[in-house]
Amino acid sequence: MPDAPLSQRALSPPERLDVEALGRTLLLIPHPDDEVIGCGGLLTALAGAGQPACVALVSDGSGAGELPEGTAAIRQREFRDALEILYPGCEQQYWKLPDGALSRESGLAGAVVEAARHFRADTLVAPWPRDMHPDHAALGAAAQHALESLPGLRFLLSYETWSPLEANRILDITESWPRKTRALACHVTALQAQNYDRSMEGLARHRALLLPGISASETVRYAEAWHLQEQDRGRVNASARFVTRPACQADAGAIITLFREVFGAGVDRAWWDWKYCHPDWIGTVALTDDQQLAGFYGVVPRIGYWQGQEVPLCQMVDSMVADHSRTASRSSGAFLEMCLRFLTPNVGDGKPFALACGFPNKRAMRAGEQLHVYQRGEGTVRWSRPAQPWHRQPGPSRPWQRLVWRARTVPVESVDDLSWVDPLFKSMRAALSDTLLLERGAAYWYWRFRRHPQAPYRFLQLRRLGRIVAGGVLRQRDEEGVLELVDAVFQDHRAFHGLVKAAEHEAWRAGLSHFQVWGTERLVADLPVGEAVREGSVAWPDQQFNASLVDSVKGHFWAMGGDTDFR
């Protein structure tokens, strides 16, 4: 009987590959030269976009025993030389598994999962799992397993070397073609065995026919073809209505629009670039089934100091859900899904962040408690009193003390102008050794206050007998008639009290009615008599996330307005 006619559907033309959407990218390379032939153009594009990338050479490159002894070391050196052309300075790994025997490596899938988890990869790049080379197929299958089993992975991007793949993405590499050919020339050993340069050019010219809008009249163009898979298991709960994944820089425009809709604030791309400047940690997004942005859960990495030790910590900020997605029940809603997707793999003992903290509004705090993702910590308080001049105050404000205490605002144009902050913060940590303090050194102050794209801040120095003993950050709120001491560093408690009085004097000089400080209960307890209004609570991760340090620091958190992202 004749064979049954083929009934498979025709392939659709590929879309352009969005390199910036790939995020942190782990590239799995079976042998030296595959990184050039299969994904040399992508590597140059990642480098040009500033995307973090790690390239792992999986085999030892020994040629499966068919090459002279010592060839493995030579080919690894050729691999490094090629990467220096394609993506100078990218992270590199050398697994040195047996060349030609990857299909027999029982731990290959686990090694790929562990590497992706350690690099915190958003995207895996690997050979097409149906490639005719057994090593390529085995590595591609291991990457497929990682996509299906590792929460947080967003994409698997397969490349072709020996066997053409079913392309659904295309990357124009015409401009980077000279770099790709120079990189291939580094692989002298491989080129002595095969004419890889001719086959690579033929494949790239053929794939360029898939570029949108190409015509016969155009000059020669080159392209790489890819097969992109997106993780479709991005639901933490089976009943959830939303898919979640790590946020990336490509989400910036949609998140800015959502921020304006939810909070009614006029933020822009300058605000995004300032606030979410850490390429590795942005947060989590929730998407509807039609890929519409449903919510964003932002994070900012911080350093904490507790009992003389640095503590890796992240601050939970900008939690928001779109109006069209708020009808979902809380147990399957976007807020819960985003919290779980970020906190579960990233926060707790033995994870990237030992602690997470936030200053949510009352509604978000209540929701976090009810959903068992947050636990309530110390209260946050707004302390204020009428502005008055220093010489009317008791204690150090006696007239003769004005010869001892001197305060002045100082201009700041570069981080070097804040070099005096670091020694004061070191003294402050010693003076408050029984509290959890967040970083507030010169580099942090310069980023947080001097480079802020919207709010104007002033820097205040306090000297005692000619020595700088305290410093503060001031923000004038004209619409409220208030001057706020937003942040502070100081040598000791006496210097802190002097700084508060100096800042209050600045409010009086500016003709403002009140002076205020916002902070945790632990901070406000150290302030003079004034009006204290409870405004909210600190949020710590719920006990389910096994962040054991929370039990120790609760009630001992010293934080001011500058430790938030909204004052």
Side-chain angles (χ1 to χ4, degrees):
M1 292 182 61
D3 293 339
L6 294 175
S7 59
Q8 295 181 353
R9 63 176 177 81
L11 297 176
S12 300
E15 303 172 12
R16 288 188 182 273
L17 178 64
D18 185 355
V19 174
E20 292 188 354
L22 300 181
R24 294 177 61 84
T25 304
L26 174 61
L27 299 96
L28 303 171
I29 310 299
H31 313 104
D33 72 29
D34 292 326
E35 84 288 354
V36 181
I37 299 171
C39 41
L42 175 64
L43 276 166
T44 61
L46 289 169
Q51 299 282 90
C54 175
V55 186
L57 179 59
V58 175
S59 81
D60 59 11
S62 61
E66 298 181 1
L67 296 174
E69 185 176 352
T71 301
I74 295 173
R75 296 192 71 194
Q76 290 169 26
R77 184 174 64 249
E78 293 170 346
F79 178 82
R80 284 191 291 270
D81 292 343
L83 285 182
E84 190 61 27
I85 294 173
L86 298 172
Y87 192 146
C90 70
E91 186 175 331
Q92 301 174 31
Q93 296 180 5
Y94 295 83
W95 297 7
K96 298 183 180 180
L97 298 180
D99 193 343
L102 297 186
S103 60
R104 298 194 294 273
E105 286 290 324
S106 59
L108 183 61
V112 170
V113 168
E114 182 57 31
R117 180 184 290 116
H118 184 265
F119 184 64
R120 304 190 306 278
D122 300 311
T123 299
L124 276 184
V125 175
W128 177 235
R130 291 162 59 185
D131 192 281
M132 67 175 62
H133 195 301
D135 280 357
H136 294 207
L139 190 54
Q144 182 72 47
H145 168 77
L147 181 71
E148 295 170 354
S149 60
L150 186 61
L153 266 181
R154 185 181 178 192
F155 297 124
L156 171 60
L157 194 59
S158 299
Y159 59 87
E160 57 189 2
T161 47
W162 287 95
S163 303
L165 50 68
E166 297 176 359
N168 60 11
R169 294 292 187 276
I170 194 76
L171 178 65
D172 190 342
I173 61 169
T174 305
E175 291 187 4
S176 62
W177 180 252
R179 290 175 65 183
K180 182 163 176 164
T181 55
R182 290 203 314 274
L184 185 63
C186 295
H187 290 285
V188 176
T189 306
L191 291 173
Q192 289 174 344
Q194 295 284 349
N195 292 321
Y196 288 117
D197 48 354
R198 288 196 305 177
S199 60
M200 184 178 77
E201 182 174 4
L203 180 62
R205 286 195 181 195
H206 171 67
R207 285 310 198 180
L209 296 175
L210 299 174
L211 291 172
I214 193 168
S215 65
S217 62
E218 291 190 77
T219 57
V220 174
R221 296 174 71 183
Y222 302 93
E224 288 174 349
W226 302 87
H227 183 82
L228 180 73
Q229 295 180 71
E230 187 167 4
Q231 188 186 76
D232 57 3
R233 300 183 328 100
R235 289 175 169 82
V236 181
N237 301 310
S239 61
R241 289 179 45 189
F242 305 98
V243 172
T244 56
R245 59 163 173 78
C248 62
Q249 291 295 337
D251 297 316
I255 293 172
I256 290 170
T257 299
L258 179 60
F259 190 100
R260 293 170 180 165
E261 293 172 355
V262 172
F263 299 115
V267 297
D268 55 18
R269 185 60 193 240
W271 165 85
W272 172 273
D273 292 339
W274 164 77
K275 188 170 188 177
Y276 294 101
C277 58
H278 198 295
D280 300 342
W281 302 103
I282 298 174
T284 305
V285 292
L287 306 171
T288 59
D289 286 336
D290 61 357
Q291 298 299 295
Q292 189 174 6
L293 184 67
F296 173 57
Y297 187 78
V299 298
V300 175
R302 300 289 302 274
I303 295 294
Y305 295 88
W306 171 248
Q307 295 182 343
Q309 301 295 319
E310 285 193 7
V311 177
L313 181 147
C314 68
Q315 190 168 333
M316 304 171 287
V317 298
D318 295 338
S319 174
M320 63 189 91
V321 177
D323 288 340
H324 60 73
S325 300
R326 289 182 181 172
T327 55
S329 67
R330 284 183 173 179
S331 61
S332 60
F335 175 69
L336 175 60
E337 290 295 298
M338 293 187 296
C339 286
L340 292 176
R341 173 50 65 96
F342 179 80
L343 295 174
T344 301
N346 295 317
V347 176
D349 299 347
K351 296 178 181 176
F353 300 109
L355 287 173
C357 70
F359 304 94
N361 59 37
K362 294 180 180 179
R363 178 181 176 182
M365 183 72 237
R366 187 164 54 248
E369 285 186 296
Q370 292 172 349
L371 295 169
H372 304 292
V373 291
Y374 292 164
Q375 56 177 305
R376 190 181 297 265
E378 45 273 89
T380 55
V381 179
R382 178 169 50 82
W383 173 95
S384 66
R385 66 182 187 179
Q388 49 190 310
W390 190 330
H391 68 267
R392 293 181 183 173
Q393 301 176 44
S397 61
R398 299 184 184 95
W400 63 270
Q401 289 281 9
R402 295 301 302 275
L403 301 175
V404 177
W405 299 85
R406 294 280 185 174
R408 68 184 183 99
T409 57
V410 294
V412 172
E413 297 300 330
S414 71
V415 70
D416 292 337
D417 295 328
L418 291 168
S419 59
W420 50 273
V421 173
D422 288 330
L424 287 178
F425 182 43
K426 184 177 180 180
S427 298
M428 180 182 178
R429 298 202 305 268
L432 297 174
S433 59
D434 61 338
T435 65
L436 172 68
L437 282 173
L438 299 184
E439 59 181 322
R440 46 187 18 93
Y444 176 76
W445 269 24
Y446 183 73
W447 167 78
R448 172 67 176 83
F449 303 114
R450 178 61 180 84
R451 294 189 58 197
H452 196 289
Q454 296 169 321
Y457 297 96
R458 289 187 292 147
F459 299 88
L460 183 68
Q461 271 185 2
L462 179 66
R463 293 174 180 264
R464 184 169 62 203
L465 296 175
R467 294 179 56 197
I468 303 174
V469 294
V473 180
L474 305 176
R475 182 176 180 183
Q476 186 167 321
R477 301 177 183 273
D478 292 325
E479 69 282 359
E480 303 172 21
V482 168
L483 183 71
E484 181 173 346
L485 178 62
V486 178
D487 211 347
V489 290
F490 47 83
Q491 191 175 75
D492 50 34
H493 288 280
R494 186 184 179 199
F496 177 53
H497 295 160
L499 179 67
V500 170
K501 293 173 182 177
E504 189 174 25
H505 184 81
E506 289 294 315
W508 175 80
R509 286 181 56 195
L512 300 173
S513 63
H514 280 74
F515 167 70
Q516 72 178 26
V517 177
W518 187 98
T520 56
E521 291 172 315
R522 179 66 177 80
L523 160 69
V524 174
D526 201 28
L527 293 174
V529 176
E531 181 183 6
V533 179
R534 174 86 175 249
E535 290 201 338
S537 300
V538 176
W540 299 107
D542 186 76
Q543 293 177 351
Q544 67 165 307
F545 300 108
N546 195 31
S548 61
L549 199 54
V550 170
D551 292 335
S552 300
V553 301
K554 279 177 67 174
H556 300 277
F557 186 23
W558 197 101
M560 293 187 72
D563 290 313
T564 75
D565 63 310
F566 54 83
R567 298 198 73 81

